[in-house]
Amino acid sequence: VLKVLADQGLVESRRGRYGGTFVRARAAGSPGPAELRRRLGAVDVEDTLRFREVLEVGAAGLGASHGLTPNQAARLRAALDATREAPLPDYRRLDTLLHLTLADVSGSATLAAQYAAVRATVNDLLDCIPLLVRNLEHSQRQHAALVEAVLEGDADGAREVMREHCRGTAALLRGFLA
């Protein structure tokens, strides 16, 4: 997963005494619809959005059905809490971390790696549209319901919330293309 994120320029590895892998900050501002259309020229957006939905719905269901260890549950709660408190410039990065955490706790390293790659593509597109506070509030309600369903072992509920969440993102992107 780290290799995929590094290849996309989202993380940076540093060596030395204070080394490690760190999330890179994205440039402030939204490039806009013209840049979105340019980026879409290199991406099959419908395929990307469908693949993302399959991976995320599957990850949510797997995490809920297999149950989480106390450490995994704590990581998932912490990732959700971070999105609640995120300032707008940090929101997308912390939202991505929540979704990557969910993919990771699914128990499938392959799923997590594939999700990291597709999420990098989706983020590249989402970076071209503004963060809309009303959408973020709705997204946060979905995140809370999703995490609750996963923690309670409600696989069907987790899958349904995630499906709705993915479709909302897809509708948002399509709306900016129209």
Side-chain angles (χ1 to χ4, degrees):
V1 172
L2 288 176
K3 181 184 181 330
V4 171
L5 293 174
D7 290 347
Q8 294 294 321
L10 298 175
V11 297
E12 158 185 0
S13 293
R14 297 182 203 145
R15 294 179 187 243
R17 184 174 190 176
Y18 298 103
T21 302
F22 302 90
V23 176
R24 287 185 165 174
R26 290 274 183 156
S30 169
E35 178 63 12
L36 176 60
R37 284 186 199 89
R38 188 193 69 72
R39 290 179 186 185
L40 285 171
V43 175
D44 181 341
V45 70
E46 291 303 322
D47 182 63
T48 299
L49 294 172
R50 285 184 185 116
F51 190 51
R52 175 197 181 212
E53 183 177 336
V54 167
L55 293 175
E56 291 228 48
V57 169
L62 284 171
S65 64
H66 292 148
L68 304 184
T69 67
N71 182 46
Q72 289 173 320
R75 284 180 44 229
L76 191 57
R77 282 188 193 100
L80 175 62
D81 289 344
T83 63
R84 284 186 182 129
E85 301 163 6
L88 279 179
D90 296 335
Y91 183 81
R92 188 151 294 129
R93 179 179 54 83
L94 294 169
D95 175 66
T96 299
L97 179 61
L98 171 63
H99 287 264
L100 286 169
T101 301
L102 185 64
D104 185 51
V105 302
S106 74
S108 171
T110 303
L111 186 152
Q114 292 297 311
Y115 177 70
V118 78
R119 181 60 190 235
T121 301
V122 170
N123 278 357
D124 198 40
L125 300 176
L126 288 173
D127 283 345
C128 294
I129 62 176
L131 289 168
L132 306 171
V133 174
R134 180 174 224 150
N135 287 9
L136 297 181
E137 290 168 350
H138 180 68
S139 181
Q140 280 306 112
R141 288 190 299 274
Q142 290 175 323
H143 286 159
L146 172 65
V147 169
E148 181 179 331
V150 170
L151 293 174
E152 291 179 356
D154 178 5
D156 290 337
R159 283 189 292 264
E160 189 52 40
V161 171
M162 185 56 86
R163 185 173 290 112
E164 181 182 325
H165 187 65
C166 288
R167 289 180 179 171
T169 301
L172 184 65
L173 278 170
R174 289 182 189 114
F176 273 89
L177 291 174

